[in-house]
Amino acid sequence: MKIAFVLGEESADRIAGEIARALRHRLGSNVGFVGLGGDALKREGLDSLFDIEELSIIGVGAILSRLPMLLARLRQTVDFLLAERPDVIVTIDSFTFTNRVALKVRRKWPEVRIVNVVPPAIWAYKPRRAETLREAVDHSASLFPFEPRFLEEHGGPPATYVGHPLMGDPRLRAILQREGVSGMRPAGEPPHLLILPGSRRGEIERLMDDFGRIYARLHERIPGLTASLPAVPRVRSLIDRKLSTWAVQPTILEGDDAKWAAFGTADAALAASGTVSLELALAGVPMVLAYRLDPVSYLLRHLMTGWTAALPNFIAGHPLVPEHFHEFVRPETLVRRLERLMRNTPERTAQLAGLQEIRQAMDVPRPPGEAIADLILDQIERPIADKKTGA
């Protein structure tokens, strides 16, 4: 059996690695993997068609500037899949690229089986993408419990909530099992702040100066306050350059283990809006989110239709986590919000209660990789005539 993966992000590669391991557990040596992947899929035997880092682009402006390269990689991927004829194609996240690949393959090979993992965030932006997704894929595996309903309401493909890979991370489980996960530090012990300015160069360029001012002001208002900043290796030099202008320096953390350890001891977090907000929510860390769009995305901000851009808020169903975008990233405002979250206040109590409800809503009986592997095998075994109906 031949399984093809199409993805363009490290986070998607980690999910793919779990799926590949689950498939190999079921099928043994009778399965092979082709397509696009990173280190996780490489460990499962996949030789990526090209380096997926080329596709790790955020913002409309950045996409436009690299459009010729992206179109060339799109054609290359489609041609590869049509030549390989895998038993199933698995697209993961990166909707702009992966769904275009799926559509082009589908038009030339109508009976191809395609399973999507991590559908587009129609709940925040362009709900019509649900219909485009249905044209391209047979079934979608959702990582959030609210997504299947959104997809159905907007004409998307059949979808199944499989849980989020974070729920099975042993480092998260260790945090949740410790005593006092929602408690305050002993009286007199200064609080600790997590600073998370993003993992992409554009995010860091646009947010680090604001975060430096916020931390410096908090340091004045809360004597003894300390902070940690987890740094992704590929952007470490940029972070160091930005930190050189900060009045007060945080402790730099390297590696995921150090980051998760900090999640277990932090009193609050200042973070770029994104996947890290879900990590913080599941770890029970109160947070304030901020984001600045690139210039082209800012001009198109009216296309964002969701009532929130924060994953914890969508899961909770109400504005649990404060979020500040672009001109509303005002340091003095964020300072006061964070100060309230690092003290024994109603704001802290309410957010911690909401984060607990999020963990309960996302609980699943088995690892997502196993559930997705079963969906994939079900699609392979299903008669061609039944595929597009989801029957």
Side-chain angles (χ1 to χ4, degrees):
M1 187 175 293
K2 186 187 298 183
I3 312 292
F5 287 96
V6 180
L7 51 89
E9 292 275 357
E10 287 185 14
S11 58
D13 177 61
R14 290 193 291 271
I15 294 171
E18 291 190 21
I19 298 169
R21 285 191 294 275
L23 287 167
R24 197 174 294 285
H25 179 73
R26 287 159 172 73
L27 302 173
S29 60
N30 295 320
V31 63
F33 308 113
V34 298
L36 302 178
D39 291 341
L41 279 176
K42 183 178 180 180
R43 289 192 289 270
E44 300 303 321
L46 183 142
D47 184 14
S48 186
L49 188 58
F50 53 83
D51 188 346
I52 61 170
E53 182 66 22
E54 295 182 26
L55 304 178
S56 184
I57 304 170
I58 188 169
V60 177
I63 291 173
L64 291 175
S65 68
R66 301 179 68 179
L67 191 57
M69 178 275 293
L70 292 171
L71 291 174
R73 290 308 195 191
L74 176 67
R75 290 190 296 269
Q76 181 184 6
T77 306
V78 170
D79 291 344
F80 174 83
L81 294 172
L82 291 172
E84 286 287 327
R85 296 272 164 162
D87 293 278
V88 64
I89 297 171
V90 182
T91 67
I92 307 179
D93 208 351
S94 301
F95 177 79
T96 301
F97 180 83
T98 63
N99 208 64
R100 279 182 168 81
V101 170
L103 278 172
K104 289 180 177 295
V105 172
R106 172 78 73 195
R107 287 165 185 160
K108 294 186 178 182
W109 182 16
E111 66 273 20
V112 61
R113 293 164 167 85
I114 304 177
V115 173
N116 164 254
V117 182
V118 191
I122 64 167
W123 31 272
Y125 180 62
K126 291 185 178 179
R128 65 180 180 275
R129 291 181 298 177
E131 296 179 1
T132 307
L133 182 66
R134 187 182 183 101
E135 293 176 22
V137 310
D138 303 300
H139 202 97
S140 186
S142 300
L143 306 190
F144 304 109
F146 58 83
E147 285 184 314
R149 177 176 59 83
F150 268 91
L151 286 169
E152 181 181 9
E153 290 176 353
H154 291 88
T160 301
Y161 171 57
V162 296
H164 198 286
L166 284 171
M167 295 298 291
D169 194 304
R171 295 164 299 189
L172 174 62
R173 290 201 301 270
I175 291 173
L176 300 181
Q177 288 168 359
R178 81 185 196 279
E179 293 184 6
V181 65
S182 299
M184 292 293 298
R185 291 178 182 273
E189 185 177 331
H192 188 78
L193 176 70
L194 263 177
I195 301 174
L196 299 148
S199 59
R200 297 181 176 92
R201 299 188 69 85
E203 293 172 328
I204 295 166
E205 287 279 8
R206 291 188 289 271
L207 283 175
M208 279 283 283
D209 293 342
D210 293 308
F211 282 16
R213 287 189 285 270
I214 292 167
Y215 179 42
R217 188 73 177 100
L218 271 172
H219 201 269
E220 293 175 1
R221 295 172 66 95
I222 305 177
L225 173 70
T226 58
S228 296
L229 193 159
V232 178
R234 67 176 180 273
V235 293
R236 176 63 189 272
S237 61
L238 174 59
I239 287 174
D240 288 341
R241 176 167 61 82
K242 287 289 187 179
L243 283 175
S244 67
T245 67
W246 283 28
V248 186
Q249 295 291 309
T251 299
I252 300 299
L253 305 178
E254 295 184 349
D256 279 349
D257 288 343
K259 181 189 80 171
W260 279 106
F263 277 27
T265 59
D267 295 283
L270 169 64
S273 183
T275 304
V276 74
S277 67
L278 180 63
E279 296 178 349
L280 293 166
L282 295 176
V285 182
M287 73 195 84
V288 173
L289 302 178
Y291 208 80
R292 287 189 182 274
L293 301 166
D294 71 84
V296 176
S297 297
Y298 182 75
L299 292 174
L300 301 175
R301 66 192 183 282
H302 61 282
L303 298 176
M304 299 177 187
T305 56
W307 62 270
T308 178
L311 284 171
N313 290 346
F314 270 109
I315 299 168
H318 62 91
L320 173 68
V321 174
E323 47 187 338
H324 298 257
F325 291 94
H326 217 78
E327 61 265 38
F328 296 102
V329 182
R330 298 172 180 171
E332 287 294 338
T333 303
L334 274 70
V335 162
R336 285 159 175 78
R337 286 194 182 277
L338 285 164
E339 189 174 14
R340 296 291 291 176
L341 291 177
M342 287 189 283
R343 301 189 188 280
N344 190 13
T345 62
E347 291 92 334
R348 178 180 175 84
T349 300
Q351 194 172 135
L352 286 172
L355 300 183
Q356 175 65 27
E357 291 175 0
I358 288 173
R359 288 195 295 273
Q360 294 171 349
M362 294 191 65
D363 192 30
V364 289
R366 58 181 178 151
E370 295 181 9
I372 298 169
D374 287 345
L375 281 176
I376 291 169
L377 294 176
D378 177 68
Q379 287 298 318
I380 292 174
E381 296 167 358
R382 180 169 297 174
I384 296 293
D386 293 340
K387 290 195 307 95
K388 296 306 287 183
T389 66

